[in-house]
Amino acid sequence: MKRREPINFGWKYKADFREEYLSPAYDDTDFDNVEIPHSNIEIPYNYFDEKIYQFESCYRRKLHIDSLKRDERVYIHFEGIMTYARVFLNGVFLGEHKGGYTGFRIDLTDALNTDGPDILAVYVDSTERSDIPPFGHVVDYLTYGGIYRETALEYCHELHLEHGLIKPDNVLTETPAVDMDLYFRNDSGRAQSGEMEFIITCRGEEFFRTGERLTFTGKKEQKQVCSFQVPVPQLWDIDNPVLYEMETLLTMDGEIRDSRTFRFGFRQVDYRKDGFRLNGKLIKLLGLNRHQSYPYTGYAMPRSAQYDDAEILKYQLGVNTVRLSHYPQSRHFLDRCDELGLLVFDEIPGWQHIGDESWQALSLQNVRDMILTDGNHPSVFIWGVRVNESQDNDDFYRKTNELARKLDATRPTGGVRCIAESSMLEDVFTFNDFSHTGENSGLIPPSRTSGKAKPYLVTEHNGHMYPTKKFDDEAHLFSQAKRHLAVLETMYSREDISGSIGWSMFDYNTHKDFGSGDKICYHGVMDMFRLPKLAASVYASQQDDSPVLEISSSMNIGEREGSLLGDIYIFTNCDYIRMYKNGVLIRDFHPRRDLYPSLPHPPVIIDDFIGDAIEKNESFSSRDALAIKELMLKISREGLDLGIRDKIRMGWLLFKNRMNTKEAEDLYTKYFAGWGGEATTFSFTGYKDGQPVKTVVRDQNSPVSLKLKADRETLHEGETWDCLRCTVHLEDEYANAVRYAHESITLETEGPVGIIGPKVLPLTGGSTGFWVRTAGAAGTGTIRLKSERFGVIKKEIRITKN
Ligand code: GAL
């Protein structure tokens, strides 16, 4: 019987390495007590030496192994150790693993003590070894270090299923089927046979059951394929992601010897020249790239943080696709994508560089591990089998493609490139298109990059073309947003582009060769705390599930170049926006389909702040009032440097209405700049189906207050430690971000919770975030946030524990 026992607590860790640490006799009381996921060092937010995590270290743990029957074995499974590991039990070397993005198992059985506890020691090398992908040249992200993904003991029968790959087939027909590849491990060396039972359930209800007699050779590794017809299932779709479970039971000599449960979905992906189809339905892929990094802990974050990222993509950013740039990521992230109906582009580790033959052999191993580990996730719709943006290497990429197709022909291959016309061995031409400069068309036509009749997907755009900080001025934030908008418009307008995946979901720590000199690449539509920049609303406003109304300006003319407000964009999915100024209706504004004909939801552009107020309040004729308004709007956009026709028009209007320049200026101030008035309040209400669904108010005199929000109220310490994100916002009374606040806050905790990272934080762009983590006990934890100006805010978190 197979049994999994998570072992994420109770580890000892030393941030250096000496051979003697591997000896079971070594006294490790000077080691730190740590828990997995663990980062070999906590790194500062920015401005640090990128070498600080690149060192050798040692982890130790006492294991209490249950007594094993003669035909049982015990393995240890590591889901991710960055970057190289050697595993020892009781001083005996048992195996090594190269590469931090794929898991591995080591058989402990032969080195077990007959009595007393067993001492596990793991040597971890987190240096950037050029023999392991992605290393060998520069890389635009950090890889961090340590045992950063979960670890478990696996008790198995000597003949057991190591991987099971479920491949639903013909799911759109009346005769759907399942092919299942069964990868067995036979440690007995003997030929054996048994009955394999397959039980498929959906939401706890049995859906189908069948069985088959299997015979095994004495070989250590062997593959069997079972195929069976099943009843018509419910399909996994992005709107209704129905999941099934497959339980496999292997009975030998009347006893169940091995059992596994796999989650999967019935769905069909097809990629053709005219686009991507899920279950036969054409879908435009709108996505963002995700790194698996977080501030301070790097990669070492537990399940709930991975879940949260998937939820942010689905619910907050409203996209339907995510690319795991540039390596396979946590199973928890994929699990949540399965549950939410978020499509995933999975790819092998690497960045531009291809190493020598042994490096390439590891890369091929990565293809295999990626597919066997992630292959049951219905969310994964494509395998990326090229090193991101590498040069052509047909011999190597013929092999990666061949292997991917051999292991899983149900999904297409892609290979992310940035070189037009590069050698095309994959099923989909997946191209990083950084051609947009803010002025030109959003994307290059596929005929100019792929030149071939292949399906086409844009896998990156924007990013380094316009780095943007959450605390940049509003003109800069707006330009970033507009660039994403332009790319999306082009993508939606072209039938030969199946979708686009923007660079990137959030900012990330990086090496000295990239980023803004502080070891951060500010390429995200969110910051490292997953707090949105304006560009995030370009994505969010394309969905229909929740109303979005995000205004590109704070409406302060003093923020703008030349004190000119210009056109204000509203990123929204509302049918129209009704605008009031100081309580007076200006007018309704509609999405600008004339400018953005292809977007699901074009932005609304506010280009009139006056409405008919001049006509109503002043004694001009209607015609003159309109002409004066038009001139004012022009000045507000372009400044006073008017062309000759407008100058004449202005002169004529002044003369005709007996106004001097001072009176004209006063008029402009009254209706435009709003100087000297009590207050200028703009209110924008979005309507959907005739109903108001969202209102945003901009009022320059509004008082501000500090808000602390926790993403959840509870933490649960189960198989690992747990965490939740808190965000801090300084807001005005209408909940607008106060973007130039740099207030400092201090955090204190009480009870069984801790703060990840520093406890004194500045707001950046009016907000910040931090993660609260469990500290080993159940109970109630309190977070106290102190600010000199705004006092103390308290938040209670309930912690449960298994
Ligand atoms: C791409 C690369 C990404 C990131 C991005 C920045 O070339 O694939 O990893 O560096 O540029 O825009």
Side-chain angles (χ1 to χ4, degrees), residues 62 115 126 184 314 328 444 488 526:
K62 211 179 265 177
D115 49 358
S126 304
F184 285 98
K314 172 86 181 184
I444 309 172
L488 266 48
M526 302 183 126

Side-chain angles (χ1 to χ4, degrees), residues 140-141 291 323 326 351-352 388-389 432 434 460 462-465 503 508 514 523:
D140 171 22
Y141 50 92
H291 268 304
R323 171 168 167 236
H326 302 294
W351 204 84
Q352 295 192 350
N388 172 64
E389 294 190 338
N432 290 350
F434 293 107
E460 291 181 34
N462 281 301
H464 65 276
M465 295 304 290
W503 191 264
Y508 52 95
F514 307 90
H523 295 171

Side-chain angles (χ1 to χ4, degrees), residues 217-258:
T217 68
K219 270 175 64 187
K220 258 201 184 326
E221 283 174 5
Q222 46 193 301
K223 182 180 161 191
Q224 310 245 3
V225 182
C226 292
S227 303
F228 34 86
Q229 281 214 349
V230 294
V232 174
Q234 293 184 64
L235 298 181
W236 183 93
D237 218 319
I238 53 177
D239 298 321
N240 187 23
V242 180
L243 292 167
Y244 284 73
E245 284 193 343
M246 162 90 78
E247 194 186 355
T248 58
L249 298 171
L250 178 63
T251 304
M252 290 160 82
D253 305 325
E255 256 183 61
I256 296 177
R257 293 289 164 78
D258 185 62

Side-chain angles (χ1 to χ4, degrees), residues 129-177:
R129 295 171 46 141
S130 58
D131 58 333
I132 303 176
F135 306 117
H137 193 47
V138 294
V139 177
D140 171 22
Y141 50 92
L142 300 186
T143 50
Y144 310 95
I147 305 184
Y148 76 97
R149 286 187 195 152
E150 287 156 57
T151 303
L153 292 173
E154 288 177 2
Y155 291 90
C156 330
H157 183 257
E158 58 192 356
L159 197 163
H160 62 273
L161 190 57
E162 191 175 356
H163 298 288
L165 206 56
I166 303 164
K167 300 170 179 173
D169 198 12
N170 286 329
V171 301
L172 305 183
T173 69
E174 291 299 304
T175 52

Side-chain angles (χ1 to χ4, degrees), residues 114 154 208-209 215 384 457 512 518 558 698 714 717 774 782:
T114 37
E154 288 177 2
F208 181 71
R209 172 192 289 259
T215 53
L457 172 67
K512 63 172 177 19
D518 62 347
R698 295 275 201 255
T714 56
E717 200 159 89
T774 53
T782 307

